[in-house]
Amino acid sequence: MTWLDAALLQQLPLFMAAVLVLNATPGVDVLLTVSRTARGGARAGLTVALGITAGCAVHALAVAFGLAALLAWSAAAFTVLKWAGAAYLVWLGIGMLREAWRGAAPRAAAVTAAPAVSALAEFRRGLLSNLLNPKVALFILAFLPQFVPAQLGDKTPALLLLGALFVLQSLLFLLLLVALTARLARTPAPVGLGRCMQGLGGLLFFALAARLAGARLSPA
């Protein structure tokens, strides 16, 4: 029996529907994509989305090859990554609050200032925010195997397929989110709304960092 059997194919529609629901659930990735698109335009949002997707791909590969099991087995490894992720979210939140305090810079100036370096920074921002969130690795570790038929001997190819579909749909969802946010950002907004959104986003990142720092390993 090959790994691409009828049982796995029957699971795919349910798997894709579940991934869609998960992608639409507000979290760090959604908040970061929306905030960077609103602040820097579609290009910034697209680059952040690519960084987030790259992080998801790393997590999916880690699950497929068994590396993420270390996080579920080792409390020390989970704790280190948990605090690193929380610290990075706090850093992002401070940056957003600083921008809200200073006020949004003119869009033209932001576009002309070192676009190549800015794109790399946005990609790194998205990548690190995803990689430094251990709950993403643990979630994928718990989620993907649910759709792999138990009768398969070597489950790695099936996990790779599901991981690829997960990453692809996540990318498409984030791209749609960037397009919608960029379109809304072009409409006239009340004075001060952008600063309020930056401030609210910064506070939300602090809340997400606190929730991540308080995460615990589920009992086996």
Side-chain angles (χ1 to χ4, degrees):
M1 177 181 296
T2 63
W3 61 270
L4 191 59
D5 63 357
L8 178 60
L9 292 176
Q10 290 175 359
Q11 295 275 29
L12 291 183
L14 178 60
F15 173 78
M16 298 303 289
V19 171
L20 179 59
V21 172
L22 295 170
N23 283 329
T25 302
V28 175
D29 293 344
V30 170
L31 176 59
L32 183 61
T33 302
V34 170
S35 65
R36 295 314 300 166
T37 304
R39 178 69 178 86
R43 181 173 183 175
L46 173 61
T47 312
V48 165
L50 291 176
I52 292 172
T53 305
C56 290
V58 172
H59 284 305
L61 288 172
V63 169
F65 293 106
L67 298 180
L70 174 65
L71 294 177
W73 174 77
S74 171
F78 179 85
T79 300
V80 169
L81 192 56
K82 174 185 69 175
W83 284 106
Y88 187 69
L89 289 178
V90 169
W91 182 82
L92 290 176
I94 292 174
M96 295 183 70
L97 289 177
R98 185 183 299 116
E99 291 179 356
W101 176 262
R102 294 176 178 176
R107 178 62 56 86
V111 172
T112 58
V117 177
S118 177
L120 178 60
E122 296 288 6
F123 180 87
R124 184 170 59 247
R125 188 194 304 264
L127 178 65
L128 290 178
S129 71
N130 191 274
L131 287 181
L132 292 177
N133 189 348
K135 298 184 75 174
V136 176
L138 291 173
F139 171 78
I140 295 179
L141 178 62
F143 181 70
L144 294 187
Q146 307 302 319
F147 297 89
V148 177
Q151 67 269 21
L152 293 180
D154 183 9
K155 297 180 174 57
T156 299
L159 287 170
L160 286 173
L161 173 64
L162 294 176
L165 294 175
F166 180 91
V167 170
L168 177 60
Q169 188 182 120
S170 298
L171 175 61
L172 294 177
F173 177 82
L174 290 177
L175 293 180
L176 177 61
L177 191 62
V178 168
L180 291 175
T181 304
R183 184 177 183 85
L184 291 175
R186 288 195 296 267
T187 60
V191 177
L193 179 60
R195 298 180 67 177
C196 291
M197 294 300 294
Q198 287 288 328
L200 179 59
L203 294 177
L204 286 175
F205 270 120
F206 283 136
L208 290 169
R211 187 175 67 175
L212 178 59
R216 294 289 187 272
L217 282 173
S218 300

